Amino acid sequence: MAIDRVDAYIDAHRADFVEQLKALIRIPSVSAQPDHDADTRRAAEFIRDDLEAMGLAAELIETKGHPIVFARNAPRPGRPTVLIYGHYDVQPPEPLEPWVSPPFEPTERDGNLYARGATDDKGQMFTHLKAAEAWLKGAGELPLNVKFLIEGEEEVGGANLEQFVAENKTKLACDYAVISDTSQFAPGMPAITYGLKGLAYFEVLVQGARTDLHSGTFGGTVANPCNALAVILASLKGPDGKIQLPGFYDPVKPLEDWERAEFAKLPFSEAEFQASLGVSSLEGESGYTTLERKWARPTCDVNGIFGGYQGPGPKTVLPCKAGAKLSFRLVPGQDPTTVAEQFRAHLKAVCPPGVTYELIVHHGAPAVLVGVDSPGVRAAVRAVEAGFGKAPVFIREGGSIPVVGLLKDQLGVDTLLLGWGQNDDNLHGPNEKFSLADFQKGIKASAHLFEELVKEGDRSESAVP
Amino acid sequence: MAIDRVDAYIDAHRADFVEQLKALIRIPSVSAQPDHDADTRRAAEFIRDDLEAMGLAAELIETKGHPIVFARNAPRPGRPTVLIYGHYDVQPPEPLEPWVSPPFEPTERDGNLYARGATDDKGQMFTHLKAAEAWLKGAGELPLNVKFLIEGEEEVGGANLEQFVAENKTKLACDYAVISDTSQFAPGMPAITYGLKGLAYFEVLVQGARTDLHSGTFGGTVANPCNALAVILASLKGPDGKIQLPGFYDPVKPLEDWERAEFAKLPFSEAEFQASLGVSSLEGESGYTTLERKWARPTCDVNGIFGGYQGPGPKTVLPCKAGAKLSFRLVPGQDPTTVAEQFRAHLKAVCPPGVTYELIVHHGAPAVLVGVDSPGVRAAVRAVEAGFGKAPVFIREGGSIPVVGLLKDQLGVDTLLLGWGQNDDNLHGPNEKFSLADFQKGIKASAHLFEELVKEGDRSESAVP
C-alpha cells in the first residue's frame, strides 16, 4: 500500500525533518519588526525551496508587505483538492530575559524543541510539508490535489493575504482547507477545533500637556495622561468580569447546551490549570466555567501599557503621553467593526477631561464555528487516529485565526483545524516549545489525511482549473 | 566699598562664568543611572576644584553612593555663618527625542542656556560659587563665614546626605542655610519661596501568571496585571480630583486666609498658563484655584507606567507583569511614612483578585513652611532687590527639597529659598533651560546676600567651632 511506504519514509527521515525544522526556526522572521524584514523574506524563500525540492511548483508571490509562498502539484481532475494554509512569520520574542535558551536557537529539552515559532506556526505548518514530501518521495505521487498557501503576515494581521485570496479565487479553489495552528486538548488527547474566537485589537494613545513636566511644580494643575489612561482601562470591565462597552454582548451567540455538556465532560482540572499558570485564583466573567470562558466567551485584555519614566530609580516627572495596546477576543455573532464603534463610543464616554486621545484600530477578525458533521471532519477524525493512535475530541479555542473566516468568505470552504500543539507551549510568550513526538505524529496524521480525504470521494470539479 | 569691587568682578567675568557653567553641565552626572557613576563623580571633582581654586578649603567626602563636596573659608568668630546647599546631580534626560539640542551639550538660544541641569541645580547652585569667588578675588575676602555643602544624590533621594548631616552637626553648624533650586514667580518677578511640598514616592509591581501568555488561548481565565494595575491607579483619585487614600487629608494644614489673599493678588493668568502647557483645560482638586493646587494642596501623579508589549505593531500577549511609579506631593501636616501606610492599606483594599503586588517605597520628605518675618528673610529681600532690581514676592512651590527639612531637624536652621529659575524652565523634562541674565543676577544677589546677612548682625558663636 502506498500509505505504508509513506509511513516508512516518515519514520526513516525523522531526524532529517527535525534538523530541517531547526534550520527554518533559526531564521528570525519577526513580521512586526521592520529590522527583521530581510529575515522574514529568508524564511519565505526557505519554504519555497523546500516545496520545490520535493517536486511541487512553488513560487514566491510579492505583496506590499511580506511575500506569500504558493505551491501545488500538477492537478488531476476527479480528485479532491486540499488547500493547506500556514504562516512562516513569528511573534516578537521580547521580553528576552525569561528565555532559557535563545529564542532563535532551537534547543531540545525533555523531548521538546524550544524556540520562537516552534509551535506557532513553523513546527505545525512544517508537518504538512513533510507529509507531502513523504508521499512524493515515498510513494511517488500525492493521492489528491494539494495546494500550499504559506504567508508571512499572520502575526501582524496584514491585509495583503486578504487581497491575494480575494484576487485569486480560482488559483486557490479547493474542497477542503487545513490549518495546523491550534493545540491538542492535552498530551495524548488530540483534538479537532470547531470554533475560534475573533479579535478586535486597538491602541489608545493619551496626550496631556505638550511636554513632560516636573510633577512637583506642575502636579495638581493638569491632567496626567497615565492616570487618565488608568481610568479608561479600568472602565473596560466590571468587578464581575463583564465587559462594559455599550451593546457588547447583544449579538453574542450563546453556548449551546450540548457544548456546555461536552466541555464539562472533558478531563480538565481547574486546580492543575491554576497551578500550571502560577496564579492564586482563576478569574474571568462570572457565570461561566473556565473552559467556557477560555473557548467561547468574549474577553478583554490589555496587551501592553506604557508612559512616563520606566528606567531605574525614581523620576518625579508628570508625563505628557501614555498609551496602551488592548484587544477584545470575540465570539460567534460579534463583529470587529461593530466592536470598534462600541469602543470608540465608550472611550468618548469615559475619557477624563484635560487629555486628548487617539484610537488606532489594528486588525480584526470575526469568530468562526465549523459544522462538526461533514466529510472533511470525518476524514480528519480517521487521520488523527492513524497519526496519534487515538480519536480526537472536539474543542473550541480562544485564539483567533482570521484566515479561516477569509477562506470561508472568499472560497466558500470550511477549514479543518488540526492542532498538533499543547496548551502549555507558550506560544507568543517566552520559552515557546513544540513536542518532537507530536511533530512526528502530526506529519503522519497529515499524510493519512490526504488518503482519508480521497476516501470521502470526489468533491468538486471546480477546484481543478 | 568692597561690594562695589565684588559687583565689578562679577560684571567683568560674566563670559567666563558662563563658560565654566557649560563645562560643568557637559558632565552627564545622572545620579539615578549607574552607567553614569563615573560622570557623577567627575562633576563632584569639578565643584571641589572650583572651590579650591578660589581659595576655600574644599574636600570630597565619600559616601556609600555619590560623594559630597564640602568647602569653607577660614572661620572667624563674631561673624554669622551661612551654609549654602546645592546638588551637582541631574535627572535622567530621557526621553531624548524631544530635545532640540543634546541634553549634555549646553546650547545658547534666545538668552537661555538649554541643557539638563541648566537650572536644576547646576546653574542655580553655581551662582553662589561665583559670588564667593567674586568676594575672594574681587574684595580679597568673604565678609562672613561660608560653608558649601554640594551633594550628588538629590535626584535619587539618597540617604547618604541625611547620614552625613546627622553625623556632622558641628562641621555644618550655621546661622542661615541658603538654597537656590526654585523659581521666580515670573520673568522679572523674583521671589522668596516660603513653602515647599513634601513627597512620598512609590513603585507598585503587579504580577499575574508565572509567564506571559497568549491572550487568545488564556484570555478570560486569569487576571491580567495591566488591567489590574489600571484598576489600582484609577482608584487613587475621585472625579473631583480628591485623593482616595483613607485619612489622607486628615492632617493637612489648611491654607491661611492671608495666603489665599496673597496668591489671588499675584498676576497669574490661568488662560496663559493653560496655553503654555498646551492643554484643553486645567484640572485638579475641586474647590481650589490653580495656584493653590500648584503650591499648597496635595497631589497624586503616576510618573511612569509599564507592562506587556511596547514595541511596534500589535502583539496578542496576556502579560504576566505590570508596574507603575507614582508619587504623592504632600503639604504641611502630612508625613510620608503615614502616607506609605495609607497607600499600603488602600492597595490592599483595591487590588483586584488573581494578581499579587509588591510595593516599593522610594524616598519621601515632609513639606516645609518657613516663617516670613526673620533676619534671614529681611536680608534676602534686600539682596534680591540688589541683584534683580526689584523686591521679591512671597510664594510657595509644589516641588520638594527634602534637605530643607533635614537642615531644620538636624541643624535647627531655616532655609532661605532663593530661586533664580523660571516656571517654564522645564526642569526634569526635555529642553531644560536657564536664563543667562538671571544667572548673572543670581550671582549678584548671592554676593549681596553675604553682605546683608552681616548687616543683620552676629548670630551665634555656636557656628564657629
Side-chain angles (χ1 to χ4, degrees):
Chain A
M1 297 260 291
I3 189 68
D4 297 329
R5 296 200 302 277
V6 171
D7 280 340
Y9 184 92
I10 294 170
D11 290 335
H13 291 80
R14 183 174 184 138
D16 295 345
F17 291 168
V18 171
E19 286 313 308
Q20 291 167 25
L21 174 59
K22 284 182 181 176
L24 172 58
I25 285 175
R26 281 192 194 99
I27 305 171
S29 47
V30 184
S31 52
Q33 299 179 341
D35 286 359
H36 283 297
D37 280 357
D39 297 318
T40 305
R41 168 170 289 270
R42 209 144 51 82
E45 291 165 351
F46 181 104
I47 300 289
R48 178 201 55 194
D49 295 349
D50 193 71
L51 288 161
E52 214 159 50
M54 71 180 75
L56 299 183
E59 55 184 318
L60 216 63
I61 294 157
E62 297 303 334
T63 73
K64 284 174 205 153
H66 304 299
I68 291 165
V69 183
F70 181 78
R72 63 181 307 173
N73 60 346
R76 284 166 51 180
R79 292 178 155 195
T81 299
V82 63
L83 174 73
I84 293 158
Y85 165 88
H87 64 93
Y88 62 82
D89 65 323
V90 299
Q91 281 275 318
E94 289 83 8
L96 298 177
E97 187 272 332
W99 285 86
V100 173
S101 47
F104 295 109
E105 184 43 57
T107 306
E108 292 185 39
R109 289 196 298 276
D110 306 326
N112 294 307
L113 193 64
Y114 285 85
R116 170 59 81 234
T119 190
D120 178 17
D121 181 42
K122 286 176 176 169
Q124 296 205 56
M125 170 263 286
F126 208 54
T127 60
H128 300 292
L129 272 71
K130 296 300 104 178
E133 178 184 322
W135 274 98
L136 289 161
K137 304 282 185 180
E141 65 164 357
L142 279 155
L144 77 177
N145 302 326
V146 174
K147 299 175 180 180
F148 282 96
L149 174 67
I150 314 293
E151 72 149 324
E153 300 188 318
E154 200 268 350
E155 302 292 6
V156 290
N160 296 314
L161 182 80
E162 201 173 325
Q163 189 186 338
F164 175 74
V165 173
E167 291 173 358
N168 291 277
K169 292 184 195 178
T170 307
K171 185 177 187 122
L172 299 173
C174 59
D175 302 299
Y176 308 99
V178 173
I179 302 179
S180 292
D181 199 11
T182 51
S183 290
Q184 303 179 53
F185 179 71
M189 247 185 126
I192 292 176
T193 302
Y194 72 95
L196 292 169
K197 285 187 188 172
L199 178 68
Y201 198 112
F202 305 102
E203 195 159 336
V204 181
L205 303 174
V206 180
Q207 174 89 37
R210 193 177 291 124
T211 59
D212 284 356
L213 300 167
H214 187 289
S215 70
T217 308
F218 293 92
T221 68
V222 291
N224 179 318
C226 290
N227 292 64
L229 180 68
V231 169
I232 291 170
L233 299 178
S235 75
L236 293 170
K237 287 196 273 194
D240 57 358
K242 298 275 181 195
I243 292 159
Q244 303 293 306
L245 306 198
F248 184 77
Y249 290 99
D250 293 350
V252 165
K253 180 171 149 53
L255 271 158
E256 294 191 28
D257 290 343
W258 73 263
E259 296 181 281
R260 300 191 84 163
E262 287 296 319
F263 294 178
K265 270 192 234 157
L266 288 168
F268 177 76
S269 159
E270 303 240 345
E272 279 173 29
F273 182 66
Q274 181 181 321
S276 74
L277 299 175
V279 289
S280 57
S281 61
L282 297 172
E283 298 293 336
E285 186 189 7
S286 64
Y288 294 90
T289 68
T290 299
L291 274 191
E292 287 168 354
R293 299 196 307 268
K294 195 174 188 293
W295 289 348
R297 292 296 301 174
T299 62
C300 168
D301 274 293
V302 175
N303 307 105
I305 188 168
F306 44 90
Y309 183 67
Q310 305 190 5
K315 183 179 179 185
T316 48
V317 66
L318 198 171
C320 67
K321 284 174 204 276
K325 295 169 193 266
L326 71 151
S327 53
F328 299 87
R329 296 284 171 171
L330 311 180
V331 297
Q334 292 184 298
D335 169 62
T337 309
T338 307
V339 170
E341 285 160 21
Q342 291 166 343
F343 185 47
R344 205 178 288 278
H346 182 77
L347 266 180
K348 196 170 173 183
V350 301
C351 182
V355 297
T356 56
Y357 61 84
E358 180 190 356
L359 173 63
I360 298 167
V361 179
H362 286 294
H363 65 302
V368 167
L369 268 188
V370 173
V372 296
D373 186 24
S374 67
V377 171
R378 285 195 298 269
V381 168
R382 294 193 300 270
V384 169
E385 199 163 358
F388 286 78
K390 199 175 278 187
V393 293
F394 288 95
I395 65 174
R396 285 167 70 166
E397 155 62 35
S400 306
I401 307 182
V403 72
V404 175
L406 177 67
L407 298 181
K408 179 74 176 179
D409 291 347
Q410 296 295 336
L411 309 180
V413 70
D414 274 344
T415 296
L416 299 169
L417 291 167
L418 310 179
W420 316 139
Q422 294 296 345
N423 286 315
D424 63 352
D425 278 350
N426 231 11
L427 65 168
H428 291 209
N431 301 310
E432 179 180 343
K433 69 173 172 65
F434 187 35
S435 156
L436 287 171
D438 287 338
F439 176 55
Q440 174 84 350
K441 289 173 183 170
I443 296 169
K444 282 210 176 164
S446 175
H448 281 260
L449 178 66
F450 296 159
E451 174 147 289
E452 296 299 336
L453 288 174
V454 173
K455 286 188 194 158
E456 288 292 326
D458 181 18
R459 298 282 298 152
S460 152
E461 288 301 315
S462 75
V464 185
Chain B
M1 297 260 291
I3 189 69
D4 297 328
R5 296 202 301 278
V6 171
D7 279 340
Y9 184 92
I10 294 170
D11 289 336
H13 290 81
R14 182 174 184 137
D16 295 344
F17 292 168
V18 171
E19 286 313 307
Q20 290 166 26
L21 175 59
K22 285 183 179 174
L24 173 58
I25 286 175
R26 281 193 194 98
I27 305 171
S29 47
V30 183
S31 52
Q33 299 179 342
D35 286 358
H36 282 298
D37 280 357
D39 297 318
T40 305
R41 168 169 289 269
R42 209 144 50 83
E45 290 166 350
F46 181 103
I47 300 290
R48 178 202 55 194
D49 294 349
D50 193 70
L51 288 161
E52 214 159 50
M54 69 180 76
L56 300 183
E59 54 184 320
L60 215 65
I61 294 157
E62 298 302 332
T63 73
K64 285 175 205 150
H66 304 300
I68 290 165
V69 183
F70 181 77
R72 64 181 307 173
N73 59 347
R76 283 168 51 179
R79 292 179 157 196
T81 299
V82 63
L83 174 73
I84 292 159
Y85 165 90
H87 63 92
Y88 62 82
D89 66 323
V90 299
Q91 280 276 319
E94 290 82 7
L96 298 177
E97 187 271 333
W99 285 85
V100 172
S101 48
F104 295 108
E105 184 42 57
T107 305
E108 291 185 40
R109 288 196 297 277
D110 305 327
N112 294 307
L113 192 63
Y114 285 85
R116 169 59 80 235
T119 190
D120 177 16
D121 181 41
K122 286 175 176 169
Q124 295 205 57
M125 172 262 287
F126 208 55
T127 60
H128 300 292
L129 272 72
K130 296 301 105 179
E133 179 185 321
W135 275 98
L136 289 161
K137 304 281 185 181
E141 64 164 358
L142 279 155
L144 77 176
N145 301 327
V146 175
K147 299 176 180 179
F148 281 97
L149 175 66
I150 314 293
E151 71 149 323
E153 300 188 319
E154 199 267 352
E155 301 293 5
V156 291
N160 296 314
L161 182 80
E162 201 173 324
Q163 189 185 339
F164 175 73
V165 173
E167 291 173 358
N168 291 276
K169 291 184 196 179
T170 308
K171 186 177 187 125
L172 300 172
C174 57
D175 303 299
Y176 308 98
V178 174
I179 302 180
S180 292
D181 199 13
T182 49
S183 290
Q184 302 179 53
F185 179 71
M189 248 185 126
I192 291 177
T193 302
Y194 71 96
L196 291 169
K197 284 187 189 171
L199 178 67
Y201 198 112
F202 305 101
E203 195 159 337
V204 181
L205 303 174
V206 180
Q207 174 90 38
R210 194 176 291 124
T211 60
D212 284 355
L213 300 167
H214 187 290
S215 70
T217 308
F218 293 93
T221 69
V222 291
N224 179 319
C226 290
N227 292 64
L229 180 68
V231 169
I232 291 169
L233 299 178
S235 76
L236 292 170
K237 287 196 274 193
D240 57 358
K242 298 275 180 196
I243 292 158
Q244 303 293 305
L245 306 198
F248 184 77
Y249 290 99
D250 293 350
V252 165
K253 179 170 148 52
L255 271 159
E256 294 191 29
D257 290 344
W258 72 263
E259 297 181 281
R260 300 190 85 163
E262 287 298 318
F263 295 178
K265 270 190 234 159
L266 289 168
F268 178 76
S269 160
E270 304 240 345
E272 278 173 30
F273 182 67
Q274 180 181 323
S276 74
L277 300 175
V279 289
S280 57
S281 61
L282 296 172
E283 299 293 336
E285 186 188 8
S286 64
Y288 294 90
T289 69
T290 299
L291 274 191
E292 287 168 355
R293 298 196 308 266
K294 194 173 188 295
W295 289 349
R297 291 296 300 173
T299 62
C300 168
D301 274 293
V302 176
N303 307 106
I305 188 168
F306 43 90
Y309 183 67
Q310 305 190 6
K315 182 179 179 184
T316 48
V317 65
L318 198 171
C320 68
K321 284 174 204 280
K325 296 170 194 267
L326 71 150
S327 52
F328 299 87
R329 296 285 171 170
L330 310 181
V331 298
Q334 293 185 297
D335 169 61
T337 310
T338 308
V339 171
E341 284 160 24
Q342 292 166 343
F343 185 45
R344 205 178 288 278
H346 183 76
L347 266 180
K348 195 170 175 183
V350 302
C351 182
V355 297
T356 57
Y357 61 84
E358 180 190 356
L359 173 62
I360 298 168
V361 179
H362 286 293
H363 65 301
V368 167
L369 268 189
V370 173
V372 296
D373 185 23
S374 66
V377 171
R378 285 193 298 268
V381 167
R382 295 194 299 270
V384 169
E385 198 163 0
F388 287 79
K390 198 175 279 187
V393 293
F394 288 94
I395 64 174
R396 286 168 69 168
E397 156 61 36
S400 307
I401 308 183
V403 72
V404 174
L406 176 68
L407 299 181
K408 179 74 176 179
D409 292 346
Q410 296 293 336
L411 309 180
V413 71
D414 274 343
T415 296
L416 298 169
L417 291 166
L418 309 179
W420 315 139
Q422 294 297 344
N423 287 315
D424 63 353
D425 277 350
N426 232 10
L427 64 168
H428 291 210
N431 302 309
E432 179 179 345
K433 69 174 172 61
F434 187 35
S435 155
L436 286 171
D438 287 338
F439 176 56
Q440 174 85 349
K441 290 173 183 170
I443 296 168
K444 282 209 177 166
S446 174
H448 281 260
L449 178 67
F450 297 159
E451 173 148 290
E452 297 299 337
L453 288 174
V454 174
K455 287 188 194 159
E456 289 292 327
D458 181 18
R459 298 283 296 151
S460 154
E461 288 301 314
S462 76
V464 185

